[in-house]
Amino acid sequence: MMGTQLQRARNGEITPAMERVAERENRDPEYVREKVAAGEAVIPNNHEHDSLDPMIIGKDFSTKVNANIGNSEPESDIETEREKLHTAVEYGADTVMDLSTGGDIPELRAGQIEHSPVPLGTVPIYEALKQAGSPEELTADLLLDVIESQAAQGTDYQTIHAGVLREHLPLTDGRITGIVSRGGSILAEWMENHGEQNPLYTHFDEICAILAEYDVTISLGDGLRPGSLADANDDAQLAELETLGDLTERAHEHGVQVMVEGPGHVPLDEIGEQVEYQQEVCDGAPFYLLGPLVTDVAPGYDHITSAIGATEAARHGAAMLCYVTPKEHLGLPDAEDVRDGLAAYRIAAHAGDVAAGKPGARDWDDALSQARYNFDWREQFNLALDPDRAKEYHDQTLPEDNYKEARYCSMCGAEFCSMRIDQDAREGEEMEGLDADVDLADSPAADVNLPPTGKHDTSGLPTVPEALCDHAGGEGLPGDD
């Protein structure tokens, strides 16, 4: 057996994946190995995922963003899901989760793995439920079979809701929104019907043995996460978190890489405390949060309400943020929703890295600000997190090429542009000149803190959509040599 990244790191080996991660993060490979060996970072890297460009998740590295994609029974078009995957990669997703619940799930997932240069995660209980037909018909054997089949296909991480225990369920009785996790609600119904303990908990060692064989990272699911501000930080959530801390230790004993999932709705003032408490309980294992939303009143805008919370979580040490799209709570997102959700979360992750003082993170901001002051519109577009959107908005009012040289935009016009006035005063020697100079080529920032954000090595993919080639500048793509 090849061994997991965790096992190999503990044996003192710097793997090719660690070397690649070190390159992307601008860190020393030995530093990467040490963090993986300590369980404080994970490199989701299934042996069977040939097209993967390795990345790392850990609070000491750049904050990562996951994009949830996947179909449902009413919407099960494979091409639509492929478009979502390509959109996610193009606009900077560091990982994707296929949460499909309809159609031929294994066939869809196989294609997504083949076409994805980023780690792909799943929630095996969804496919198991589809096969079983109802929660009460689920069996431990079926769950184990699905976990193993997904691992053999090449999934890089799997969400396993092993921390939801029978004794935790009464703790949810006083909630406003009950159990909002799909996995958590399925297991709760199963335990109530059978009068037995969660099979993912009782068979946890067998699950770890499967995941270790393929080096699938376990993402310990928060099946009792709060679905509203009123339920945040309650006894049910904390009881599950304590269990996840124990399961983290057990998984590490099997050599399995672990990250821990966190809550989706938390008041802003409680987020830092929650992140820090998870780090304490789970021995520094990477924390992976959905959101969290800081208010419940904005359906249709929850990519904004959650990005506010995500920024605070990243500032306090969350390692990966699961994006929320404008469709959250309302419907299945399409490709444009994926783009909007990723923009919000790339902003949140980057802002968190800047606030936390990650090496070189602010260099990108300074370079764009310099281009803005110099009225270098083309460079400003190139440096933008979403270059196409920035150019589109500028060109709505000033589309002609000559306006790319103009010393103003349509916000203030030429007469009232403060930066033009400031420049004229400095050039007329009424004020001192500026001497700032930012060179991103010398920045110690990680790749995700430098443009373009969707910069992945796609040389392992069978085909690359034209949009991806354009966005990545053609670097490292098949057919370029």
Side-chain angles (χ1 to χ4, degrees):
M1 188 174 72
M2 188 181 297
T4 69
Q5 295 293 323
L6 175 59
Q7 291 167 334
R8 296 166 74 180
R10 287 178 168 176
N11 288 333
E13 179 184 356
I14 295 175
T15 66
M18 295 174 200
E19 292 276 6
R20 172 59 177 153
V21 162
E23 177 187 2
R24 299 183 73 182
E25 297 284 332
N26 273 313
R27 298 297 185 91
D28 184 84
E30 175 59 20
Y31 181 79
V32 172
R33 186 201 67 77
E34 290 173 358
K35 290 299 178 181
V36 173
E40 296 175 5
V42 298
I43 303 176
N45 192 174
N46 189 317
H47 305 320
E48 303 299 321
H49 190 168
D50 295 332
S51 60
L52 181 70
D53 186 12
M55 51 78 72
I56 194 165
I57 302 168
K59 69 180 178 64
D60 296 301
F61 301 94
S62 55
T63 303
K64 304 305 190 297
V65 174
N66 170 69
N68 284 343
I69 58 176
N71 63 23
S72 61
E73 285 295 353
E75 299 287 341
S76 56
D77 182 87
I78 289 179
E79 289 308 313
T80 298
E81 292 310 309
R82 187 65 46 77
E83 181 186 4
K84 290 181 190 176
L85 170 65
H86 292 152
T87 301
V89 173
E90 179 180 1
Y91 289 103
D94 298 294
T95 76
V96 294
M97 289 200 77
D98 179 8
L99 306 184
S100 294
T101 58
D104 188 335
I105 298 175
E107 179 186 3
L108 170 63
R109 184 172 52 246
Q112 299 293 62
I113 292 169
E114 184 183 18
H115 286 81
S116 179
V118 302
L120 187 136
T122 58
V123 186
I125 199 170
Y126 296 169
E127 183 182 345
L129 177 62
K130 189 172 189 299
Q131 291 186 29
S134 68
E136 63 183 290
E137 297 300 322
L138 285 169
T139 65
D141 285 343
L142 175 58
L143 287 166
L144 291 171
D145 285 346
V146 171
I147 289 169
E148 182 158 21
S149 68
Q150 293 192 5
Q153 272 192 303
T155 58
D156 299 289
Y157 64 97
Q158 295 184 14
T159 293
I160 307 293
H161 297 92
V164 182
L165 305 185
R166 280 189 71 195
E167 53 267 35
H168 297 161
L169 302 185
L171 300 176
T172 67
D173 292 345
R175 286 182 161 185
I176 286 182
T177 48
I179 299 175
V180 299
S181 159
R182 284 191 287 189
S185 64
I186 292 166
L187 289 165
E189 183 174 347
W190 187 93
M191 287 186 279
E192 287 295 305
N193 284 329
H194 290 269
E196 298 176 13
Q197 188 57 277
N198 179 353
L200 295 176
Y201 179 80
T202 57
H203 292 267
F204 190 72
D205 291 329
E206 295 164 69
I207 293 170
C208 287
I210 293 170
L211 301 185
E213 180 180 354
Y214 297 92
D215 196 4
V216 177
T217 298
I218 189 168
S219 187
L220 291 172
D222 53 340
L224 299 181
R225 67 175 179 267
S228 57
L229 297 189
D231 299 340
N233 209 25
D234 68 356
D235 290 342
Q237 177 191 339
L238 296 180
E240 182 187 27
L241 180 57
E242 294 285 346
T243 304
L244 297 183
D246 295 336
L247 293 174
T248 297
E249 184 176 352
R250 285 172 59 185
H252 282 162
E253 290 171 357
H254 286 272
V256 176
Q257 300 185 89
V258 180
M259 57 184 173
V260 179
E261 298 184 14
H265 296 247
V266 183
L268 183 63
D269 60 306
E270 297 180 16
I271 291 173
E273 177 185 343
Q274 289 221 2
V275 173
E276 291 163 6
Y277 184 62
Q278 179 275 342
Q279 292 287 283
E280 177 185 340
V281 171
C282 299
D283 292 328
F287 202 16
Y288 166 31
L289 281 85
L290 174 68
L293 283 72
V294 296
T295 179
D296 298 331
V297 302
Y301 299 94
D302 280 335
H303 60 312
I304 298 173
T305 62
S306 61
I308 295 169
T311 303
E312 182 72 352
R315 182 171 79 90
H316 283 275
M320 186 160 74
L321 310 171
C322 182
Y323 85 163
V324 172
T325 77
K327 290 275 183 66
E328 188 77 14
H329 302 110
L330 301 173
L332 190 70
D334 58 20
E336 188 62 19
D337 297 315
V338 170
R339 178 182 182 178
D340 290 344
L342 273 167
Y345 271 71
R346 284 256 61 98
I347 294 167
H350 179 69
D353 285 351
V354 171
K358 297 284 179 71
R362 211 193 70 190
D363 290 348
W364 183 5
D365 302 77
D366 294 348
L368 192 144
S369 295
Q370 183 171 275
R372 179 176 289 152
Y373 183 80
N374 292 335
F375 296 104
D376 188 341
W377 293 103
R378 292 182 179 85
E379 181 68 0
Q380 187 177 162
F381 300 152
N382 289 337
L383 290 172
L385 182 137
D386 185 339
D388 294 337
R389 180 62 53 82
K391 184 176 184 299
E392 172 194 346
Y393 282 179
H394 173 272
D395 290 359
Q396 282 177 1
T397 51
L398 300 173
E400 289 80 11
D401 280 348
N402 62 294
Y403 288 115
K404 304 299 186 296
E405 313 294 334
R407 296 174 66 208
Y408 62 89
C409 71
S410 61
M411 171 67 79
C412 300
E415 185 177 358
F416 288 96
C417 178
S418 59
M419 288 191 181
R420 182 197 61 76
I421 295 169
D422 182 80
Q423 281 187 1
D424 288 347
R426 294 179 189 281
E427 289 172 2
E429 298 183 355
E430 298 160 20
M431 298 172 62
E432 291 291 328
L434 302 179
D435 58 4
D437 186 26
V438 182
D439 184 0
L440 286 183
D442 294 332
S443 175
D447 275 358
V448 300
N449 277 318
L450 295 173
T453 53
K455 186 163 58 178
H456 309 286
D457 178 2
T458 56
S459 58
L461 301 186
T463 59
V464 180
E466 184 177 345
L468 281 182
C469 295
D470 292 344
H471 187 73
E475 190 173 341
L477 302 179
D480 287 347
D481 51 21

